[in-house]
Amino acid sequence: MQAGKAAESRDAGRPLQVTMKRGYEVLRDPHLNKGMAFTLEERQQLNIHGLLPPCFLGQDAQVYSIVKNFERLTSDLDRYILLMSLQDRNEKLFYKVLTSDIERFMPIVYTPTVGLACQQYGLAFRRPRGLFITIHDRGHIATMLKSWPENIIKAIVVTDGERILGLGDLGCYGMGIPVGKLALYTACGGVKPHECLPVMLDVGTDNEALLKDPLYIGLRHKRIRGQAYDDLLDEFMEAVTSRYGMNCLIQFEDFANANAFRLLHKYRNKYCTFNDDIQGTASVAVAGLLAALRITKNRLSDHTVLFQGAGEAALGIANLIIMAMEKEGVSKDAAIKRIWMVDSKGLIVKGRASLTSEKERFAHEHGEMKNLEDIVKDIKPSVLIGVAAIGGAFTKQILQDMAALNKRPIIFALSNPTSKAECTAEQCYTYTRGCGIFASGSPFDPVTLPSGQTLYPGQGNNSYVFPGVALGVISCGLKHIGEDVFLTTAEVIAQQVSEENLQEGRLYPPLVTIQDVSLKIAVRIAEEAYRNNTASTYPQPKDLEAFIRSQVYSTDYNSFAADSYTWPEEAMKVKL
């Protein structure tokens, strides 16, 4: 059951929350708990008077207290645990803290710190969040979903933990990613947290270190694959949509390449689903490229793009680049010829052994090459994108060559976490002598050039994409999420980058504006959905922006004071 039902107080116009819970039940429910912000009247009516210190604090004072505790801690993992513990006991305050300084707190609840938290999830584990479904639960997933206390779920983030960020197979420890992702659905997009569900599909792990780890919280056997795995996924998708409806958004997160594309192709036209590693990463990367074109003063189809990496992120970005080039009037074949890829075996070329069908599409006539420095000199790219999670792959020589080949080279080091970045912002700006147009997946500090100019590297974080996409999809009831949604999203993000941002080196809007960016993305997605007759929320709202704003979660506390009133005196007379 949902924790409480919001209504409007007739007296003050403030949201009034009604709950049947009393006493400790209220204080132990993060949806309801306000800590010392409960008024005396609320404490008395909810039977919690005496269970709290005789002190009354406003929400701002509570935020101040949390921030002071945050600053007192010296390690990011401890800060992560502090914020997750707050989420476990006071949800509204957690999101109030996050949104008070999103630039400061996002790197703690999401990349890069969430990667460290996942690696040490056994140590950081305090209270279970989300739903853990295992390969041994086949045939019973519908029953397990009924264990979840909320009846209305509009967004699910699901992982099997096989490819967590650039860290590999973390098995059940990967649950930190869906939890962190959904926290940003709310903090950045305003999706209601009680309508979100993180899910871990535990089919085992091939990580020997975890199998031997006494603190490991998942199944202790090798990953189960093949038909049994597919049956689990099919049952999960059917059970979710049966319980929560066909419009329930299901985001796939951190599945290995072998499954990511296959599952996306299998489910995309049947369910309301997308894969953030493929499509979200593509959207934010293309957004950065579209913004960079305002610096290079040319078209995307004028560029030659070289990818270090040919996994799901690279292929997703490449496919969206093709769509963007086609929109400029270039044929699909001509667009494909502008894109080159390097995987673990070297340059992807025609005739090379063991190429998947996805990689084959980007194989061109060329001799085989293995060394990235040699490949850059030979292909002469104007755009270099790193998505292979090989830290330091963009060497000093490569960065210098990119600057020699191009007046303004575009260099994206998108791998997460920071330790896996292909180069740092400082390395890029230093070795290209300030002419490199840089973006990264994890945050980097500003860099001051010898000239005295300070550049603020753009962080191509997927959090610019998935919260706004989720808000738009949920608001208009979009049935299926096509690639056009992600190109639209990229265009909206790029449009929010000001000339002043570009001069500072930013290819993305400042993170402090991310809630406004998410709203604009949601409105554009909804507009196009109604125009294309793919929405299912009817009648169509007259003012889409106002309607979507009304759906956004408020971090302000509700009132629990009783909605009390009197009747006419005559009606209240006791009859003898």
Side-chain angles (χ1 to χ4, degrees):
M1 261 181 72
Q2 193 174 317
K5 183 177 71 175
E8 283 296 312
S9 167
R10 297 198 315 170
D11 296 329
R14 290 174 55 216
L16 174 67
Q17 192 159 353
V18 179
T19 179
M20 296 299 106
K21 292 184 176 181
R22 291 295 182 271
Y24 266 127
E25 271 193 300
V26 174
L27 298 178
R28 288 171 177 167
D29 187 334
H31 300 313
L32 302 175
N33 185 27
K34 300 197 294 186
M36 285 188 282
F38 283 110
T39 66
L40 179 60
E41 184 184 4
E42 288 174 328
R43 296 180 192 201
Q44 290 170 342
Q45 291 182 359
L46 294 171
N47 294 344
I48 57 173
H49 186 45
L51 301 181
L52 291 167
C55 173
F56 304 93
L57 294 178
Q59 199 174 18
D60 289 343
Q62 290 179 310
V63 170
Y64 177 78
S65 174
I66 295 296
V67 171
K68 280 297 174 189
N69 273 296
F70 182 90
E71 291 170 346
R72 191 172 52 82
L73 299 173
T74 55
S75 87
D76 284 344
L77 182 61
D78 286 340
R79 290 170 178 154
Y80 171 88
I81 292 170
L82 172 78
L83 292 177
M84 291 301 104
S85 297
L86 176 62
Q87 187 182 19
D88 285 339
R89 65 178 190 273
N90 187 335
E91 196 168 68
K92 291 258 186 190
L93 184 56
F94 170 75
Y95 287 110
K96 179 67 84 173
V97 169
L98 246 59
T99 55
S100 71
D101 192 346
I102 195 76
E103 218 161 354
R104 182 182 196 182
F105 296 115
M106 186 190 289
I108 303 298
V109 299
Y110 197 53
T111 57
T113 307
V114 73
L116 175 63
C118 285
Q119 287 177 302
Q120 302 189 36
Y121 208 67
L123 287 172
F125 189 78
R126 295 291 184 276
R127 172 176 166 175
R129 297 194 68 85
L131 205 57
F132 294 83
I133 298 172
T134 77
I135 191 75
H136 308 308
D137 297 316
R138 281 174 296 160
H140 306 281
I141 295 178
T143 305
M144 294 182 72
L145 288 174
K146 291 175 184 174
S147 300
W148 190 249
E150 304 291 346
N151 292 321
I152 298 173
I153 293 295
K154 295 187 177 177
I156 288 173
V157 175
V158 59
T159 186
D160 69 354
E162 189 169 6
R163 194 205 61 84
I164 298 298
L165 302 175
L167 303 170
D169 186 349
L170 294 185
C172 221
Y173 280 1
M175 183 53 131
I177 297 295
V179 170
K181 268 266 155 79
L182 287 171
L184 297 188
Y185 266 51
T186 301
C188 303
V191 179
K192 296 180 179 71
H194 55 267
E195 295 179 352
C196 297
L197 173 59
V199 176
M200 161 58 64
L201 297 178
D202 188 355
V203 297
T205 178
D206 292 338
N207 186 326
E208 289 292 341
L210 291 184
L211 291 173
K212 295 173 183 174
D213 181 359
L215 297 178
Y216 182 57
I217 61 174
L219 294 179
R220 292 175 182 272
H221 58 64
K222 293 283 189 181
R223 283 187 174 270
I224 292 176
R225 304 183 185 276
Q227 193 59 49
Y229 178 90
D230 287 357
D231 290 345
L232 178 76
L233 267 294
D234 286 344
E235 184 185 344
F236 171 73
M237 298 298 281
E238 289 168 14
V240 163
T241 49
S242 175
R243 177 156 173 77
Y244 302 123
M246 291 302 294
N247 287 352
C248 181
L249 169 62
I250 304 169
Q251 178 194 319
F252 281 74
E253 184 70 25
D254 287 346
F255 283 72
N257 291 358
N259 290 320
F261 283 102
R262 186 173 64 84
L263 296 174
L264 178 61
H265 295 320
K266 181 177 183 180
Y267 296 132
R268 67 189 310 171
N269 295 320
K270 186 177 180 183
Y271 299 103
C272 178
T273 186
F274 74 98
N275 183 304
D276 188 58
D277 304 301
I278 299 171
Q279 295 161 293
T281 302
S283 188
V284 77
V286 170
L289 291 176
L290 294 177
L293 296 179
R294 288 158 58 189
I295 300 173
T296 59
K297 309 293 185 188
N298 54 8
R299 303 189 312 161
L300 188 56
S301 49
D302 295 327
H303 288 270
T304 299
V305 184
L306 176 63
F307 285 91
Q308 162 65 8
E312 52 197 274
L315 293 163
I317 297 168
N319 288 327
L320 204 62
I321 287 174
I322 292 168
M323 277 186 69
M325 287 185 178
E326 285 183 289
K327 204 167 180 180
E328 292 179 343
V330 174
S331 71
K332 183 171 287 189
D333 287 342
I336 291 172
K337 287 176 182 174
R338 309 294 296 178
I339 298 170
W340 296 77
M341 291 193 178
V342 177
D343 65 8
S344 59
K345 296 182 176 65
L347 187 65
I348 292 177
V349 295
K350 285 192 182 296
R352 213 191 78 181
S354 305
L355 287 179
T356 63
S357 58
E358 288 89 5
K359 290 182 182 181
E360 185 73 48
R361 190 181 186 203
F362 297 99
H364 307 305
E365 292 290 351
H366 194 283
E368 291 193 21
M369 300 180 74
K370 290 198 172 181
N371 183 275
L372 185 60
E373 289 184 3
D374 296 336
I375 292 168
V376 168
K377 287 176 181 173
D378 191 80
I379 301 298
K380 298 180 174 58
S382 52
V383 178
L384 181 61
I385 300 176
V387 281
I390 300 174
F394 296 168
T395 62
K396 177 180 178 180
Q397 186 63 53
I398 287 172
L399 295 171
Q400 289 176 336
D401 288 343
M402 286 294 292
L405 291 166
N406 305 280
K407 186 178 177 181
R408 297 301 305 270
I410 299 172
I411 297 162
F412 286 5
L414 298 181
S415 293
N416 281 316
T418 312
S419 61
K420 301 291 184 180
E422 288 73 16
C423 69
T424 66
E426 186 173 10
Q427 288 168 339
C428 175
Y429 293 137
T430 300
Y431 298 141
T432 64
R433 297 185 177 179
C435 69
I437 302 171
F438 178 81
S440 60
S442 287
F444 283 104
D445 291 331
V447 177
T448 301
L449 302 176
S451 64
Q453 182 188 9
T454 299
L455 294 173
Y456 298 82
Q459 186 190 354
N461 196 309
N462 291 20
S463 56
Y464 282 107
V465 175
F466 61 80
V469 169
L471 181 62
V473 166
I474 291 168
S475 296
C476 70
L478 194 62
K479 296 173 183 175
H480 306 293
I481 306 173
E483 291 299 319
D484 55 317
V485 166
F486 295 98
L487 185 55
T488 296
T489 298
E491 291 167 350
V492 173
I493 296 168
Q495 288 161 7
Q496 304 312 307
V497 182
S498 67
E499 287 301 321
E500 184 183 348
N501 294 152
L502 291 174
Q503 289 169 13
E504 293 175 339
R506 300 180 195 267
L507 295 182
Y508 298 95
L511 271 175
V512 293
T513 67
I514 197 163
Q515 290 168 310
D516 291 332
V517 173
S518 295
L519 182 69
K520 286 181 169 64
I521 290 169
V523 171
R524 271 284 294 277
I525 288 172
E527 285 173 347
E528 294 191 5
Y530 282 110
R531 193 181 307 124
N532 299 330
N533 294 319
T534 54
S536 65
T537 301
Y538 283 96
Q540 178 180 344
K542 290 181 181 178
D543 186 336
L544 263 180
E545 183 174 338
F547 171 72
I548 293 174
R549 278 187 188 278
S550 73
Q551 307 297 304
V552 169
Y553 176 72
S554 171
T555 60
D556 295 332
Y557 287 139
N558 294 331
S559 170
F560 290 93
D563 186 14
S564 59
Y565 51 94
T566 62
W567 283 4
E569 219 170 293
E570 184 63 32
M572 292 190 296
K573 276 186 180 177
V574 178
K575 310 298 181 186
L576 295 175

